[in-house]
Coordinates of all heavy atoms in Angstrom, one line a residue:
M1 N 6.5 -12.3 7.0 CA 5.6 -11.3 6.5 C 4.9 -10.5 7.6 O 4.5 -11.1 8.6 CB 4.5 -12.2 5.7 CG 3.6 -11.3 4.9 SD 2.5 -12.2 3.8 CE 3.5 -12.9 2.8
S2 N 4.8 -9.2 7.4 CA 4.2 -8.4 8.3 C 2.8 -8.5 8.5 O 2.1 -9.1 7.7 CB 4.6 -6.9 8.1 OG 3.7 -6.4 7.0
K3 N 2.2 -8.0 9.6 CA 0.8 -8.0 9.9 C -0.1 -7.4 8.9 O -1.1 -7.9 8.4 CB 0.5 -7.5 11.3 CG -0.9 -7.7 11.7 CD -1.1 -7.4 13.2 CE -2.4 -7.5 13.7 NZ -3.5 -7.3 12.9
I4 N 0.3 -6.3 8.4 CA -0.4 -5.5 7.3 C -0.6 -6.2 6.2 O -1.5 -6.3 5.5 CB 0.2 -4.1 7.2 CG1 -1.0 -3.3 6.4 CG2 1.5 -4.1 6.2 CD1 -0.7 -1.7 6.5
H5 N 0.6 -7.1 5.7 CA 0.3 -7.9 4.6 C -0.7 -9.0 4.9 O -1.6 -9.1 4.0 CB 1.7 -8.8 4.4 CG 2.8 -8.0 3.8 ND1 3.9 -7.8 4.4 CD2 2.9 -7.4 2.6 CE1 4.7 -7.0 3.4 NE2 4.0 -6.9 2.4
D6 N -0.7 -9.7 6.0 CA -1.6 -10.7 6.3 C -3.2 -10.1 6.3 O -4.0 -10.6 5.7 CB -1.4 -11.3 7.6 CG -0.2 -12.0 7.6 OD1 0.3 -12.5 6.5 OD2 0.4 -12.3 8.7
D7 N -3.3 -8.9 6.8 CA -4.6 -8.3 7.0 C -5.0 -7.8 5.7 O -6.4 -7.7 5.5 CB -4.4 -7.0 8.0 CG -4.2 -7.4 9.4 OD1 -4.3 -8.5 9.6 OD2 -3.9 -6.5 10.2
M8 N -4.3 -7.5 4.8 CA -4.7 -7.0 3.5 C -5.0 -8.0 2.4 O -5.4 -7.6 1.3 CB -3.7 -5.9 2.9 CG -3.4 -4.8 3.9 SD -4.9 -3.9 4.3 CE -5.3 -3.1 2.6
V9 N -5.1 -9.3 2.8 CA -5.5 -10.2 1.8 C -6.9 -10.0 1.4 O -7.3 -10.1 0.3 CB -5.3 -11.6 2.3 CG1 -5.8 -12.7 1.4 CG2 -3.8 -11.8 2.5
Q10 N -7.7 -9.7 2.5 CA -9.2 -9.3 2.3 C -9.3 -7.8 1.9 O -8.8 -7.0 2.8 CB -9.9 -9.5 3.5 CG -10.1 -10.9 3.8 CD -10.9 -11.8 2.7 OE1 -11.8 -11.2 2.1 NE2 -10.4 -13.0 2.4
P11 N -9.9 -7.5 0.8 CA -10.1 -5.9 0.5 C -10.8 -5.2 1.6 O -11.7 -5.9 2.2 CB -10.8 -6.0 -0.8 CG -10.7 -7.3 -1.4 CD -10.4 -8.3 -0.2
I12 N -10.5 -4.0 1.8 CA -11.3 -3.2 2.7 C -12.0 -2.1 2.1 O -11.7 -1.7 0.8 CB -10.5 -2.5 3.8 CG1 -9.4 -1.6 3.3 CG2 -9.8 -3.6 4.7 CD1 -8.8 -0.8 4.3
E13 N -13.2 -1.6 2.6 CA -14.0 -0.6 2.0 C -13.2 0.9 2.3 O -12.7 1.1 3.4 CB -15.2 -0.4 2.6 CG -16.4 0.1 1.6 CD -17.7 -0.1 2.1 OE1 -18.0 -1.3 2.4 OE2 -18.4 0.9 2.3
L14 N -13.1 1.6 1.1 CA -12.4 2.9 1.4 C -13.4 4.0 1.7 O -14.4 4.0 1.3 CB -11.8 3.4 0.0 CG -10.6 2.7 -0.5 CD1 -10.1 3.2 -1.9 CD2 -9.4 3.0 0.4
E15 N -13.0 4.7 2.9 CA -13.8 5.8 3.3 C -13.6 7.0 2.4 O -12.5 7.2 1.8 CB -13.4 6.2 4.7 CG -13.9 5.1 5.7 CD -13.2 5.2 7.0 OE1 -12.7 6.4 7.4 OE2 -12.9 4.3 7.8
E16 N -14.6 7.8 2.3 CA -14.6 9.0 1.5 C -13.5 10.0 2.2 O -13.4 9.9 3.5 CB -15.9 9.7 1.6 CG -16.2 10.5 0.3 CD -17.6 11.0 0.3 OE1 -18.5 10.2 0.6 OE2 -17.7 12.2 -0.1
N17 N -12.8 10.7 1.4 CA -11.7 11.6 2.1 C -10.7 11.1 3.1 O -10.3 11.7 3.9 CB -12.5 12.8 2.8 CG -13.5 13.6 1.8 OD1 -13.3 13.7 0.7 ND2 -14.6 14.0 2.5
W18 N -10.4 9.8 2.8 CA -9.4 9.2 3.6 C -8.1 9.9 3.6 O -7.4 9.9 4.6 CB -9.3 7.6 3.2 CG -8.7 7.5 1.8 CD1 -9.4 7.2 0.8 CD2 -7.4 7.4 1.4 NE1 -8.6 7.2 -0.4 CE2 -7.2 7.3 0.1 CE3 -6.2 7.5 2.1 CZ2 -6.2 7.2 -0.7 CZ3 -5.0 7.6 1.5 CH2 -5.0 7.3 0.0
Q19 N -7.9 10.6 2.5 CA -6.5 11.3 2.5 C -6.4 12.3 3.4 O -5.2 12.8 3.7 CB -6.4 11.8 1.0 CG -6.4 10.9 -0.2 CD -7.7 10.7 -0.8 OE1 -8.8 11.0 -0.1 NE2 -7.7 10.4 -2.2
D20 N -7.5 12.9 3.9 CA -7.5 13.9 4.9 C -6.6 13.6 6.1 O -6.0 14.5 6.7 CB -8.9 14.4 5.4 CG -9.7 15.0 4.2 OD1 -9.1 15.3 3.2 OD2 -10.9 15.3 4.5
G21 N -6.5 12.4 6.5 CA -5.7 11.9 7.7 C -4.4 11.6 7.4 O -3.7 11.0 8.2
A22 N -4.0 11.8 6.0 CA -2.6 11.3 5.7 C -1.4 12.0 6.4 O -1.4 13.1 6.6 CB -2.4 11.6 4.2
N23 N -0.5 11.2 6.9 CA 0.7 11.6 7.6 C 1.5 12.3 6.7 O 2.4 13.1 7.1 CB 1.4 10.3 8.3 CG 2.0 10.7 9.5 OD1 1.6 11.7 10.2 ND2 3.0 9.9 9.9
C24 N 1.4 12.2 5.4 CA 2.3 12.7 4.4 C 1.9 14.0 3.8 O 2.6 14.5 3.0 CB 2.6 11.7 3.3 SG 1.2 11.2 2.5
L25 N 0.7 14.5 4.3 CA 0.4 15.9 3.9 C 1.4 16.9 4.1 O 1.9 17.0 5.2 CB -0.9 16.3 4.6 CG -2.3 15.6 4.2 CD1 -3.4 16.0 5.0 CD2 -2.5 15.7 2.7
G26 N 1.9 17.6 3.0 CA 3.0 18.6 3.2 C 4.3 18.0 3.1 O 5.3 18.7 3.1
V27 N 4.5 16.7 3.0 CA 5.8 16.1 2.9 C 6.1 16.0 1.4 O 5.3 15.8 0.6 CB 5.7 14.6 3.5 CG1 7.1 14.0 3.2 CG2 5.5 14.7 4.9
D28 N 7.3 16.2 1.1 CA 7.9 16.2 -0.4 C 7.4 14.8 -1.0 O 7.8 13.9 -0.7 CB 9.4 16.4 -0.4 CG 9.7 16.3 -1.9 OD1 9.0 16.2 -2.7 OD2 11.1 16.5 -1.9
P29 N 6.5 14.9 -2.1 CA 6.0 13.7 -2.6 C 7.2 12.9 -3.3 O 7.0 11.6 -3.4 CB 5.1 14.2 -3.8 CG 4.9 15.6 -3.5 CD 5.9 16.2 -2.6
D30 N 8.3 13.4 -3.7 CA 9.4 12.8 -4.2 C 10.0 11.7 -3.3 O 10.5 10.7 -3.7 CB 10.6 13.6 -4.5 CG 10.3 14.5 -5.9 OD1 9.3 14.2 -6.5 OD2 11.0 15.4 -6.1
L31 N 9.7 11.9 -2.0 CA 10.1 11.0 -0.9 C 9.5 9.5 -1.2 O 10.1 8.5 -0.9 CB 9.8 11.5 0.4 CG 10.4 10.8 1.6 CD1 11.9 11.0 1.7 CD2 9.8 11.3 2.9
F32 N 8.2 9.7 -1.7 CA 7.5 8.4 -1.8 C 7.7 7.7 -3.2 O 7.2 6.8 -3.4 CB 6.1 8.7 -1.6 CG 5.8 9.2 -0.2 CD1 5.9 10.5 0.1 CD2 5.6 8.2 0.8 CE1 5.8 10.9 1.5 CE2 5.4 8.6 2.2 CZ 5.5 10.0 2.5
F33 N 8.5 8.5 -4.1 CA 8.7 7.9 -5.4 C 10.3 8.0 -5.7 O 10.8 8.7 -6.6 CB 8.0 8.8 -6.5 CG 6.5 8.6 -6.4 CD1 5.7 9.5 -5.7 CD2 5.8 7.5 -7.0 CE1 4.3 9.4 -5.5 CE2 4.5 7.4 -6.9 CZ 3.8 8.3 -6.1
P34 N 11.0 7.1 -4.8 CA 12.5 7.2 -4.9 C 13.0 6.7 -6.3 O 12.2 5.8 -7.0 CB 12.8 6.3 -3.8 CG 11.7 5.4 -3.5 CD 10.5 6.2 -3.9
E35 N 14.1 7.0 -6.7 CA 14.7 6.5 -7.9 C 15.0 5.0 -7.7 O 15.1 4.5 -6.5 CB 16.1 7.0 -8.0 CG 16.1 8.6 -8.4 CD 15.6 8.9 -9.7 OE1 15.9 8.1 -10.7 OE2 14.9 9.9 -10.0
R36 N 15.0 4.3 -8.7 CA 15.2 2.8 -8.6 C 16.4 2.5 -7.8 O 17.5 3.1 -8.1 CB 15.2 2.3 -10.0 CG 15.3 0.7 -10.2 CD 15.2 0.3 -11.5 NE 15.1 -1.2 -11.7 CZ 13.8 -1.8 -11.6 NH1 12.8 -1.1 -11.6 NH2 13.7 -3.1 -11.6
G37 N 16.3 1.7 -6.9 CA 17.5 1.3 -6.0 C 17.7 2.2 -4.8 O 18.5 1.9 -4.0
A38 N 17.0 3.3 -4.8 CA 17.2 4.2 -3.7 C 16.4 3.8 -2.4 O 15.5 2.9 -2.6 CB 16.8 5.7 -4.1
S39 N 16.8 4.3 -1.3 CA 16.3 3.8 -0.1 C 14.8 4.3 0.1 O 14.4 5.4 -0.4 CB 16.9 4.4 1.1 OG 16.3 4.0 2.3
T40 N 14.0 3.4 0.6 CA 12.5 3.6 0.8 C 12.3 3.9 2.3 O 11.1 4.1 2.7 CB 11.6 2.5 0.3 OG1 12.1 1.3 1.0 CG2 11.8 2.3 -1.2
R41 N 13.4 3.9 3.1 CA 13.2 3.9 4.6 C 12.5 5.2 5.0 O 11.7 4.9 5.9 CB 14.7 3.7 5.2 CG 14.7 3.3 6.6 CD 16.1 3.2 7.1 NE 17.0 4.3 6.9 CZ 17.0 5.3 7.7 NH1 16.3 5.4 8.6 NH2 17.8 6.4 7.4
E42 N 12.9 6.3 4.6 CA 12.3 7.5 5.1 C 10.9 7.6 4.8 O 10.0 7.9 5.7 CB 13.0 8.7 4.4 CG 14.2 9.3 5.2 CD 14.7 10.6 4.5 OE1 14.1 11.7 4.9 OE2 15.5 10.5 3.6
A43 N 10.5 7.2 3.6 CA 9.0 7.2 3.2 C 8.3 6.2 4.1 O 7.2 6.5 4.7 CB 8.8 6.8 1.8
K44 N 8.7 5.0 4.3 CA 8.1 4.1 5.1 C 8.0 4.4 6.6 O 7.1 4.1 7.2 CB 9.0 2.7 5.0 CG 8.6 2.1 3.6 CD 9.4 0.7 3.6 CE 9.0 -0.1 2.3 NZ 9.5 -1.4 2.1
E45 N 9.0 5.2 7.0 CA 9.0 5.8 8.4 C 7.8 6.7 8.5 O 7.1 6.7 9.6 CB 10.3 6.6 8.5 CG 11.0 6.6 10.0 CD 10.8 5.3 10.8 OE1 11.3 4.2 10.2 OE2 10.2 5.3 11.8
V46 N 7.5 7.6 7.5 CA 6.4 8.4 7.6 C 5.0 7.6 7.4 O 4.2 8.0 8.3 CB 6.3 9.4 6.3 CG1 5.1 10.4 6.3 CG2 7.7 10.3 6.3
C47 N 5.0 6.6 6.8 CA 3.9 5.8 6.6 C 3.5 5.0 8.0 O 2.4 4.7 8.2 CB 4.0 4.8 5.6 SG 4.2 5.5 3.9
R48 N 4.6 4.7 8.6 CA 4.5 3.8 9.9 C 3.5 4.5 10.8 O 2.8 3.7 11.5 CB 5.9 3.6 10.4 CG 6.0 2.6 11.5 CD 7.2 2.4 12.2 NE 8.3 2.4 11.4 CZ 8.8 1.4 10.6 NH1 8.3 0.3 10.7 NH2 9.9 1.6 9.9
G49 N 3.6 5.8 11.0 CA 2.6 6.4 12.0 C 1.4 7.0 11.4 O 0.8 7.7 12.0
C50 N 1.1 6.5 10.1 CA -0.1 7.0 9.4 C -1.4 6.4 9.9 O -1.5 5.2 9.8 CB 0.2 7.0 8.0 SG -1.2 7.7 7.0
I51 N -2.4 7.2 10.2 CA -3.7 6.5 10.6 C -4.4 5.9 9.5 O -5.4 5.2 9.7 CB -4.5 7.4 11.6 CG1 -4.8 8.8 10.8 CG2 -3.7 7.7 12.8 CD1 -5.9 9.6 11.4
V52 N -4.2 6.4 8.2 CA -4.9 5.9 7.2 C -4.0 4.9 6.2 O -4.3 4.8 5.1 CB -5.5 7.0 6.3 CG1 -6.5 7.7 7.1 CG2 -4.4 8.0 5.8
R53 N -3.0 4.4 6.9 CA -2.2 3.5 6.2 C -2.9 2.4 5.3 O -2.7 2.1 4.2 CB -1.2 2.8 7.2 CG -0.1 2.1 6.5 CD 0.9 1.7 7.6 NE 1.9 0.7 7.0 CZ 2.7 -0.1 7.7 NH1 2.5 -0.1 9.0 NH2 3.3 -0.9 7.1
E54 N -3.8 1.6 6.0 CA -4.6 0.7 5.4 C -5.3 1.1 4.2 O -5.4 0.5 3.1 CB -5.4 -0.2 6.3 CG -4.7 -1.0 7.2 CD -5.4 -1.9 8.1 OE1 -6.7 -2.0 7.8 OE2 -4.9 -2.5 8.9
Q55 N -6.0 2.2 4.4 CA -6.9 2.9 3.4 C -6.0 3.3 2.1 O -6.2 3.1 1.0 CB -7.6 4.2 3.8 CG -8.3 4.0 5.1 CD -9.9 3.7 4.7 OE1 -10.3 4.3 3.7 NE2 -10.4 2.7 5.3
C56 N -4.7 3.9 2.4 CA -3.9 4.2 1.3 C -3.4 3.0 0.5 O -3.4 3.1 -0.7 CB -2.7 4.9 1.9 SG -1.3 5.3 0.9
L57 N -3.1 2.0 1.3 CA -2.6 0.8 0.6 C -3.7 0.2 -0.2 O -3.6 -0.3 -1.4 CB -2.2 -0.3 1.6 CG -1.7 -1.6 1.1 CD1 -0.6 -1.5 0.1 CD2 -1.3 -2.5 2.4
E58 N -4.9 0.1 0.3 CA -6.1 -0.4 -0.5 C -6.3 0.5 -1.7 O -6.6 -0.1 -2.7 CB -7.4 -0.3 0.4 CG -8.6 -1.0 -0.1 CD -8.4 -2.4 -0.4 OE1 -7.9 -3.1 0.5 OE2 -8.8 -2.9 -1.6
F59 N -6.3 1.7 -1.6 CA -6.4 2.6 -2.7 C -5.4 2.2 -3.8 O -5.7 2.1 -5.0 CB -6.2 4.1 -2.3 CG -6.2 5.1 -3.5 CD1 -7.5 5.6 -3.9 CD2 -5.2 5.4 -4.2 CE1 -7.6 6.5 -5.0 CE2 -5.2 6.3 -5.3 CZ -6.4 6.7 -5.7
A60 N -4.1 2.1 -3.4 CA -3.1 1.7 -4.5 C -3.4 0.3 -5.0 O -3.2 0.1 -6.1 CB -1.8 1.7 -3.7
L61 N -3.9 -0.5 -4.2 CA -4.1 -1.9 -4.8 C -5.3 -1.9 -5.7 O -5.3 -2.5 -6.7 CB -4.4 -3.0 -3.6 CG -3.3 -3.3 -2.7 CD1 -3.9 -4.0 -1.4 CD2 -2.3 -4.1 -3.4
Q62 N -6.4 -1.2 -5.3 CA -7.6 -1.1 -6.2 C -7.3 -0.4 -7.5 O -7.9 -0.5 -8.5 CB -8.8 -0.4 -5.4 CG -9.4 -1.2 -4.4 CD -10.5 -0.5 -3.8 OE1 -11.1 0.5 -4.3 NE2 -11.0 -1.1 -2.7
N63 N -6.4 0.6 -7.4 CA -6.0 1.4 -8.6 C -4.8 0.8 -9.4 O -4.4 1.5 -10.3 CB -5.9 2.9 -8.3 CG -7.3 3.5 -7.8 OD1 -8.0 3.8 -8.7 ND2 -7.6 3.6 -6.6
G64 N -4.2 -0.3 -8.9 CA -3.1 -0.8 -9.7 C -1.9 0.1 -9.7 O -1.2 0.1 -10.8
E65 N -1.6 0.9 -8.7 CA -0.5 1.8 -8.6 C 0.8 1.0 -8.8 O 1.0 0.2 -8.0 CB -0.5 2.7 -7.3 CG -1.7 3.6 -7.2 CD -1.5 4.8 -8.1 OE1 -0.5 5.0 -8.8 OE2 -2.5 5.6 -8.3
K66 N 1.5 1.2 -9.8 CA 2.7 0.5 -10.1 C 3.9 1.3 -9.6 O 5.0 0.5 -9.4 CB 2.9 0.4 -11.6 CG 1.8 -0.2 -12.4 CD 2.1 -1.7 -12.6 CE 1.2 -2.5 -13.3 NZ -0.1 -2.5 -12.8
F67 N 3.9 2.4 -9.1 CA 5.1 3.1 -8.7 C 4.9 3.7 -7.3 O 3.8 4.1 -6.9 CB 5.5 4.2 -9.6 CG 5.7 3.8 -11.0 CD1 4.7 3.8 -12.0 CD2 6.8 2.9 -11.4 CE1 4.9 3.4 -13.3 CE2 6.9 2.5 -12.6 CZ 6.0 2.7 -13.5
G68 N 6.0 3.7 -6.5 CA 6.0 4.5 -5.3 C 5.6 3.7 -4.1 O 5.2 2.6 -4.1
I69 N 5.7 4.4 -2.9 CA 5.4 3.7 -1.6 C 3.9 4.2 -1.2 O 3.6 5.4 -1.2 CB 6.4 4.3 -0.6 CG1 7.8 4.0 -0.9 CG2 6.1 3.6 0.8 CD1 8.2 2.5 -1.1
W70 N 3.1 3.2 -1.0 CA 1.7 3.5 -0.7 C 1.4 2.6 0.5 O 1.7 1.3 0.5 CB 0.7 3.1 -1.9 CG 0.8 4.0 -3.1 CD1 1.8 3.9 -4.0 CD2 -0.1 4.9 -3.4 NE1 1.6 4.8 -5.0 CE2 0.4 5.5 -4.7 CE3 -1.2 5.6 -2.9 CZ2 -0.2 6.6 -5.2 CZ3 -1.8 6.6 -3.5 CH2 -1.3 7.1 -4.8
G71 N 0.9 3.2 1.5 CA 0.5 2.4 2.7 C 1.7 1.7 3.4 O 1.7 0.8 4.0
G72 N 2.9 2.4 3.1 CA 4.1 1.8 3.7 C 4.7 0.7 2.9 O 5.8 0.1 3.4
L73 N 4.1 0.3 1.8 CA 4.6 -0.8 1.0 C 5.2 -0.3 -0.4 O 4.6 0.6 -1.0 CB 3.7 -1.9 0.8 CG 3.0 -2.5 2.1 CD1 2.2 -3.7 1.7 CD2 4.2 -2.9 3.1
S74 N 6.3 -1.1 -0.8 CA 6.8 -0.8 -2.2 C 5.9 -1.5 -3.2 O 5.1 -2.3 -2.8 CB 8.2 -1.4 -2.1 OG 8.1 -2.7 -2.0
E75 N 6.2 -1.3 -4.5 CA 5.5 -1.9 -5.4 C 5.7 -3.4 -5.4 O 4.8 -4.2 -5.6 CB 5.8 -1.4 -6.8 CG 7.2 -1.4 -7.2 CD 7.6 -0.5 -8.4 OE1 7.5 -1.0 -9.6 OE2 8.0 0.8 -8.2
R76 N 6.8 -4.0 -5.0 CA 7.1 -5.3 -5.0 C 6.3 -6.0 -3.9 O 5.6 -7.0 -4.0 CB 8.6 -5.6 -4.7 CG 8.9 -7.1 -4.8 CD 10.5 -7.2 -5.0 NE 11.2 -6.5 -3.8 CZ 11.4 -7.0 -2.6 NH1 11.1 -8.3 -2.4 NH2 12.1 -6.3 -1.7
E77 N 6.1 -5.2 -2.8 CA 5.5 -5.7 -1.6 C 3.8 -5.7 -2.0 O 3.2 -6.7 -1.5 CB 5.8 -4.9 -0.3 CG 7.2 -5.1 0.2 CD 7.6 -4.0 1.1 OE1 7.2 -2.9 1.0 OE2 8.3 -4.4 2.0
R78 N 3.5 -4.7 -2.7 CA 1.9 -4.6 -3.1 C 1.7 -5.7 -4.1 O 0.6 -6.3 -4.0 CB 1.7 -3.4 -3.8 CG 1.8 -2.1 -2.6 CD 1.1 -0.9 -3.2 NE 1.5 -0.4 -4.5 CZ 2.6 0.3 -4.6 NH1 3.3 0.8 -3.5 NH2 3.0 0.8 -5.7
R79 N 2.6 -6.1 -5.0 CA 2.5 -7.2 -5.9 C 2.2 -8.6 -5.1 O 1.3 -9.4 -5.6 CB 3.7 -7.4 -6.9 CG 3.5 -6.8 -8.2 CD 4.5 -7.5 -9.3 NE 5.9 -7.6 -8.8 CZ 6.8 -6.6 -8.9 NH1 6.4 -5.4 -9.5 NH2 7.9 -6.7 -8.5
R80 N 2.9 -8.8 -4.1 CA 2.7 -9.9 -3.3 C 1.3 -10.1 -2.8 O 0.7 -11.1 -2.8 CB 3.7 -9.9 -2.1 CG 3.8 -11.3 -1.5 CD 4.8 -11.2 -0.2 NE 6.1 -10.7 -0.5 CZ 6.8 -10.0 0.5 NH1 6.5 -10.0 1.7 NH2 7.9 -9.6 0.2
I81 N 0.8 -8.9 -2.2 CA -0.6 -8.9 -1.8 C -1.6 -9.1 -3.0 O -2.5 -9.8 -2.9 CB -1.0 -7.6 -1.1 CG1 -0.1 -7.3 0.1 CG2 -2.4 -7.5 -0.8 CD1 -0.4 -6.0 0.9
R82 N -1.3 -8.5 -4.1 CA -2.2 -8.9 -5.3 C -2.3 -10.2 -5.6 O -3.2 -10.8 -5.9 CB -1.8 -7.9 -6.4 CG -2.3 -6.5 -6.4 CD -2.4 -5.8 -7.7 NE -1.2 -5.6 -8.4 CZ -0.3 -4.6 -8.2 NH1 -0.7 -3.6 -7.4 NH2 0.8 -4.5 -8.7
R83 N -1.1 -10.9 -5.6 CA -1.0 -12.3 -5.9 C -1.8 -13.1 -4.8 O -2.5 -14.1 -5.2 CB 0.5 -12.7 -5.9 CG 1.2 -12.8 -7.3 CD 2.4 -13.6 -7.3 NE 3.4 -13.4 -6.2 CZ 4.4 -12.4 -6.3 NH1 4.4 -11.7 -7.3 NH2 5.1 -12.3 -5.1
Q84 N -1.7 -12.8 -3.6 CA -2.4 -13.5 -2.5 C -3.9 -13.4 -2.7 O -4.5 -14.3 -2.5 CB -2.0 -12.9 -1.2 CG -0.7 -13.2 -0.7 CD -0.2 -12.6 0.6 OE1 -0.8 -11.6 0.9 NE2 0.7 -13.2 1.3
R85 N -4.3 -12.1 -3.1 CA -5.7 -11.9 -3.4 C -6.2 -12.8 -4.5 O -7.3 -13.4 -4.4 CB -6.0 -10.5 -3.5 CG -6.0 -9.6 -2.3 CD -6.3 -8.1 -2.5 NE -6.4 -7.4 -1.3 CZ -6.8 -6.2 -1.2 NH1 -7.3 -5.6 -2.3 NH2 -6.8 -5.6 -0.1
A86 N -5.4 -12.8 -5.5 CA -5.8 -13.6 -6.7 C -5.9 -15.1 -6.3 O -6.8 -15.7 -6.8 CB -4.8 -13.3 -7.8
Q87 N -5.0 -15.5 -5.5 CA -5.0 -16.9 -5.1 C -6.2 -17.2 -4.4 O -6.8 -18.3 -4.3 CB -3.7 -17.3 -4.3 CG -2.6 -17.6 -5.2 CD -1.3 -17.7 -4.2 OE1 -1.3 -17.6 -3.1 NE2 -0.2 -18.1 -5.0
A88 N -6.6 -16.2 -3.4 CA -7.6 -16.4 -2.5 C -8.9 -16.5 -3.2 O -9.7 -17.3 -3.1 CB -7.7 -15.3 -1.5
A89 N -9.0 -15.6 -4.4 CA -10.2 -15.7 -5.2 C -10.2 -16.9 -6.0 O -11.5 -17.5 -6.0 CB -10.1 -14.4 -6.3
R90 N -9.2 -17.4 -6.5 CA -9.2 -18.6 -7.2 C -9.6 -19.9 -6.3 O -10.4 -20.7 -6.7 CB -7.9 -19.0 -7.8 CG -7.6 -18.3 -9.1 CD -6.4 -18.9 -9.9 NE -5.2 -18.8 -9.0 CZ -4.3 -17.8 -9.1 NH1 -4.6 -16.8 -9.9 NH2 -3.2 -17.8 -8.4
S91 N -9.3 -19.8 -5.0 CA -9.6 -20.9 -4.2 C -11.0 -20.9 -3.8 O -11.7 -21.9 -3.6 CB -8.6 -21.0 -2.9 OG -9.0 -19.7 -2.1
I92 N -11.6 -19.6 -3.8 CA -13.0 -19.6 -3.5 C -13.8 -20.1 -4.7 O -14.7 -20.9 -4.5 CB -13.5 -18.1 -3.2 CG1 -12.9 -17.7 -1.9 CG2 -15.0 -17.9 -3.2 CD1 -13.0 -16.2 -1.6
V93 N -13.4 -19.7 -5.9 CA -14.1 -20.2 -7.1 C -13.9 -21.7 -7.2 O -14.9 -22.5 -7.5 CB -13.3 -19.6 -8.4 CG1 -13.9 -20.2 -9.7 CG2 -13.7 -18.1 -8.4
G94 N -12.7 -22.3 -6.9 CA -12.4 -23.7 -6.9 C -13.1 -24.6 -5.8 O -13.1 -25.7 -5.9
A95 N -13.5 -23.9 -4.7 CA -14.1 -24.5 -3.6 C -15.4 -25.3 -3.8 O -16.2 -25.0 -4.7 CB -14.3 -23.6 -2.4
Ligands
LIG101 S1 0.3 5.5 4.3 FE1 2.2 6.8 3.8 S2 1.8 7.4 1.6 FE2 -0.1 6.6 2.5 S3 -1.2 8.4 3.2 FE3 -0.1 7.6 4.8 S4 1.8 8.7 5.0 FE4 1.0 9.0 3.0

């Protein structure tokens, strides 16, 4: 599991206008919403160098974005973080 997965188990606070620093400004949005089964490599490559990657991912997690690449992660990868967060919340309640 990558570092960003581990780091994102705890929610982070979103800064106002975080999108202003997005690496994908001006990039074709279709790149981030590939057809089912199509490669996500190019989109993830753009996200890799993005300074607001964590903010973008947090936004997608908080808003339950079901489609596309956000913060460099696919919907399946985001689901994994949501599950981890749910587990962490349950373990706090059960502690
Ligand atoms: S992480 Fe990717 S999708 Fe999100 S703002 Fe940055 S470049 Fe755009």
Side-chain angles (χ1 to χ4, degrees):
M1 187 174 291
S2 74
K3 187 169 180 328
I4 195 162
H5 281 114
D6 294 337
D7 290 348
M8 295 305 286
V9 175
Q10 291 299 324
I12 61 168
E13 204 166 308
L14 285 176
E15 286 163 27
E16 214 176 313
N17 304 327
W18 62 267
Q19 298 98 329
D20 291 353
N23 215 21
C24 55
L25 288 177
V27 176
D28 181 0
D30 286 351
L31 192 67
F32 297 87
F33 295 91
E35 295 289 323
R36 196 174 181 81
S39 172
T40 58
R41 196 174 54 83
E42 270 187 86
K44 288 182 171 184
E45 211 43 57
V46 177
C47 296
R48 196 185 314 278
C50 181
I51 59 170
V52 293
R53 188 174 168 196
E54 288 190 3
Q55 301 270 319
C56 175
L57 178 56
E58 185 64 43
F59 177 87
L61 292 169
Q62 286 185 13
N63 291 284
E65 291 290 350
K66 297 270 190 289
F67 304 103
I69 304 297
W70 293 78
L73 300 188
S74 66
E75 52 193 274
R76 189 166 53 86
E77 292 165 324
R78 292 195 303 276
R79 256 201 314 273
R80 193 184 306 158
I81 295 176
R82 279 205 296 272
R83 270 201 305 274
Q84 287 174 334
R85 285 187 174 184
Q87 276 173 359
R90 276 197 300 274
S91 69
I92 290 169
V93 170

